[in-house]
C-alpha cells in the first residue's frame, strides 16, 4: 500500500523525529573533538603556534564547505537518502584515525573526512526536514534540526572532557564518536525514508518557474540576490566565530591554568546555549520574521566575544560563552529559514548547499586569519578583532537584507 505524500510537521512527525535523532548523531561526531583535540595538539603533538593548531579546523571547514555545495545538487539529482548514507560511510573511520594517529597530519586527514561527513549528512537532514514540513513551519523545523545537532555537540564536548580527565586524551573519548557513526549509518539505511517527493508536491502549489542552472543559483546565493547574499556573508562570519570558540577558547582557558574538566564544562556552555536557544528561535522567526533575529543575533555575538576577550575569570568566560551561544541561536536556524523562503523548491537544495558552502568557509577564512592574528598579536587581540568583524556583518544584514518571511497574524 502506497502512503500518500503530505506536507506538514504533524503529518510527518515520526520521520521528522527520526531525522532529529539522526542529526543529533551528526552533531556528536563534531562534539567528540570539541574539548579534546586542541589540547591533544598541544600536549601530545607539541604544537605551539595557533595557526598550526587551527589546521584541523581549516581542513574540516574546507572539506565541509565544498561538500555542502555538492550535497545540495546531489540531493536534487539523486535523492536525499543516498547522500545521507554516503555521508555516514565516509564518517565511519574518523574516530579510529583520531585514536591511532601517529602524527598531526593524520589528524588533519581525519578532519577532511569529518568535513565531508558533516557536509553530506547535516546538509541532507536540513533539506529533508524542510521537504517534510512545507513553507509555514520552516523556522520551527530548522530550530529543531540545529538544536538537536548542537545540543549533541555540547553534551559530547562535556562527556569527552570528563572522559579525557579520567582516562586520558586517547583513546576513550573517541570511542563515543565510533558509536555515533555506527548508529547513524544503521538508522539511515534501515529507517530513514526519501523525501524528495515532498519537495515535488510543494512545487506544484507554487507558480512555475523556468529552469535555472546550478551556476545561476550559486551566483545568486553568493552575490546577486540581496537576501541570499546577505545570509551567506553572515553565515561565513558566524562560523569564523565558531572556529575561535572551538580552538582559541580552550587554549585561552588552559593558559590561565583552568583544569581540563572545567574546560570541558566551559566548552560545552556555548553549544549548549546554542542548541537550547534554537528550540525557541526557529519558531520565533516564523512569528516575527527573519531579519530582526539575524541582526540582533550578530550584535549579541559581537558583544559576547568582547566579554570573553575582556574577562579574567571563569565566571566572565562563562557569561561570554553563554551569550555567544544565545546570539548564534538567534542567527543559525533563521538564516537557513530565510534562504528557504527565497529559494523555489525546484532549486532550494542547491541554494541551501551554496549558503552552507559560504557558512562553513568561515572555518577556513576564520581559521587562517584569526590564527595568524593570534600568532602575531596574541589570543586576546584575535578575539577582539573577531568581535569587530561580527558587528560589521550585522550591519551588512541590517542594510542589505529584506524581510523574507510573510508573517501570518492571528
Amino acid at each position: 500500500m502506497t502512503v500518500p505524500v503530505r506536507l506538514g510537521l504533524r503529518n510527518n512527525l515520526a520521520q521528522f523525529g527520526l531525522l532529529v535523532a539522526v542529526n543529533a548523531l551528526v552533531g556528536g561526531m563534531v562534539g567528540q573533538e570539541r574539548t579534546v583535540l586542541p589540547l591533544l595538539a598541544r600536549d601530545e603533538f607539541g604544537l605551539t603556534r595557533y595557526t598550526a593548531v587551527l589546521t584541523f579546523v581549516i581542513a574540516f571547514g574546507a572539506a565541509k564547505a565544498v561538500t555542502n555545495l555538492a550535497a545540495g545538487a546531489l540531493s536534487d539529482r539523486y535523492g536525499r537518502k543516498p547522500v545521507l548514507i554516503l555521508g555516514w560511510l565516509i564518517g565511519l573511520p574518523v574516530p579510529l584515525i583520531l585514536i591511532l594517529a601517529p602524527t598531526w597530519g593524520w589528524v588533519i586527514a581525519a578532519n577532511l573526512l569529518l568535513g565531508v561527513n558533516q557536509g553530506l549528512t547535516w546538509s541532507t537532514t536540513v533539506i529533508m526536514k524542510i521537504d517534510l514540513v512545507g513553507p509555514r513551519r520552516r523556522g520551527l523545523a530548522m530550530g529543531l534540526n540545529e538544536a538537536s545537532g548542537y545540543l549533541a555537540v555540547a553534551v559530547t564536548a562535556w562527556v569527552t572532557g570528563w572522559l579525557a580527565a579520567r582516562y586520558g586524551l586517547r583513546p576513550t573519548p573517541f570511542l563515543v564518536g565510533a558509536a555515533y557513526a555506527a548508529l547513524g549509518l544503521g538508522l539511515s539505511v534501515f529507517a530513514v525514508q526519501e523525501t524528495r517527493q515532498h519537495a515535488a508536491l510543494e512545487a506544484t502549489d507554487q507558480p512555475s518557474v523556468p529552469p535555472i542552472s546550478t551556476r545561476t543559483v550559486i551566483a545568486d546565493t553568493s552575490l546577486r540576490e540581496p537576501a541570499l547574499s546577505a545570509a551567506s556573508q553572515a553565515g561565513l562570519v558566524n562560523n569564523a566565530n565558531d572556529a575561535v570558540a572551538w580552538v582559541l577558547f580552550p587554549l585561552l582557558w588552559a593558559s590561565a591554568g583552568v583544569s581540563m574538566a572545567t574546560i570541558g564544562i566551559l566548552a560545552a556552555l556555548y553549544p549548549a546555549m546554542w542548541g537550547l536557544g534554537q528550540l525557541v528561535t526557529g519558531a520565533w522567526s516564523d512569528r516575527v520574521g527573519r531579519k530582526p533575529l539575524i541582526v540582533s543575533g550578530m550584535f549579541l555575538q559581537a558583544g559576547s566575544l568582547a566579554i570573553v576577550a575582556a574577562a579574567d575569570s571563569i565566571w566572565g568566560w562563562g557569561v561570554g560563552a553563554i551569550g555567544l551561544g544565545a546570539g548564534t541561536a538567534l542567527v543559525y536556524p533563521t538564516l537557513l529559514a530565510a534562504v528557504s523562503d527565497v529559494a523555489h523548491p525546484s532549486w532550494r537544495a542547491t541554494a541551501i548547499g551554496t549558503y552552507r558552502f559560504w557558512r562553513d568557509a568561515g572555518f577556513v577564512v576564520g581559521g587562517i586569519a584569526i590564527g595568524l592574528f593570534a600568532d602575531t598579536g596574541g589570543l586576546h587581540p584575535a578575539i577582539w578583532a573577531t568581535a569587530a568583524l561580527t558587528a560589521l556583518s550585522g550591519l551588512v544584514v541590517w542594510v542589505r537584507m529584506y524581510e523574507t518571511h510573510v508573517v501570518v497574524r492571528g
Side-chain angles (χ1 to χ4, degrees):
M1 180 179 177
T2 303
V3 177
V5 176
R6 295 184 296 174
L7 300 178
L9 180 57
R10 183 173 298 177
N11 293 329
N12 298 285
L13 188 59
Q15 192 65 200
F16 188 94
L18 175 62
L19 288 167
V20 169
V22 170
N23 203 57
L25 297 170
V26 176
M29 290 290 287
V30 176
Q32 69 179 319
E33 295 189 348
R34 203 82 193 189
T35 301
V36 176
L37 218 51
L39 302 179
L40 192 71
R42 185 193 65 178
D43 296 345
E44 290 201 16
F45 293 102
L47 301 183
T48 56
R49 293 183 65 84
Y50 300 118
T51 310
V53 178
L54 278 157
T55 50
F56 83 91
V57 174
I58 294 168
F60 168 83
K64 188 181 177 191
V66 173
T67 307
N68 283 335
L69 197 60
L74 290 172
S75 294
D76 278 339
R77 181 172 297 182
Y78 299 110
R80 303 1 179 175
K81 181 171 178 174
V83 178
L84 180 63
I85 292 171
L86 177 63
W88 280 118
L89 288 172
I90 292 171
L92 273 178
V94 169
L96 182 62
I97 296 173
L98 293 173
I99 289 170
L100 299 176
T103 66
W104 188 247
W106 284 71
V107 175
I108 294 174
N111 275 271
L112 288 170
L113 291 178
L114 182 63
V116 176
N117 158 263
Q118 294 289 298
L120 295 176
T121 53
W122 204 310
S123 290
T124 308
T125 59
V126 165
I127 293 165
M128 295 176 89
K129 288 187 182 72
I130 291 173
D131 290 343
L132 291 173
V133 301
R136 292 192 61 182
R137 307 301 295 277
R138 286 192 185 117
L140 174 62
M142 290 303 91
L144 292 173
N145 184 80
E146 302 302 292
S148 69
Y150 285 98
L151 282 172
V153 171
V155 171
T156 309
W158 172 74
V159 169
T160 53
W162 180 83
L163 289 172
R166 189 176 180 91
Y167 301 107
L169 293 170
R170 292 194 289 182
T172 305
F174 298 111
L175 296 178
V176 177
Y180 287 161
L183 183 56
L185 178 60
L187 289 174
S188 299
V189 170
F190 297 109
V192 170
Q193 299 174 9
E194 181 58 62
T195 64
R196 187 164 51 164
Q197 65 273 20
H198 292 78
L201 176 62
E202 183 185 341
T204 63
D205 294 331
Q206 296 196 12
S208 61
V209 297
I212 182 171
S213 68
T214 298
R215 180 178 297 180
T216 300
V217 175
I218 292 172
D220 285 348
T221 308
S222 302
L223 294 171
R224 295 195 298 225
E225 209 288 326
L228 294 177
S229 59
S232 293
Q233 68 81 28
L236 185 148
V237 172
N238 189 94
N239 275 14
N241 294 346
D242 195 23
V244 170
W246 190 346
V247 178
L248 298 192
F249 283 9
L251 295 175
L252 173 68
W253 299 328
S255 68
V258 179
S259 70
M260 185 177 297
T262 304
I263 290 173
I265 295 171
L266 286 171
L269 286 176
Y270 157 58
M273 190 64 201
W274 182 353
L276 286 171
Q278 289 175 117
L279 294 172
V280 176
T281 57
W284 191 15
S285 76
D286 288 334
R287 293 177 176 271
V288 303
R290 318 300 191 200
K291 184 174 178 178
L293 271 65
I294 296 170
V295 172
S296 60
M298 296 304 291
F299 288 146
L300 179 56
Q301 286 184 65
S304 299
L305 285 164
I307 290 173
V308 173
D312 59 0
S313 69
I314 291 174
W315 293 107
W317 293 322
V319 168
I322 290 171
L324 184 62
T328 310
L330 287 166
V331 168
Y332 225 68
T334 314
L335 286 171
L336 277 167
V339 173
S340 301
D341 292 339
V342 176
H344 189 273
S346 63
W347 49 270
R348 184 171 59 211
T350 302
I352 290 172
T354 304
Y355 158 73
R356 286 171 60 82
F357 165 83
W358 287 114
R359 191 191 68 188
D360 290 321
F363 287 121
V364 182
V365 176
I368 294 172
I370 296 164
L372 291 172
F373 205 108
D375 279 331
T376 56
L379 285 173
H380 290 88
I383 298 172
W384 277 112
T386 309
L389 177 65
T390 306
L392 178 61
S393 176
L395 286 173
V396 171
V397 175
W398 192 358
V399 171
R400 183 162 172 76
M401 179 180 277
Y402 56 87
E403 179 54 60
T404 65
H405 182 61
V406 178
V407 179
V408 179
R409 305 293 182 185

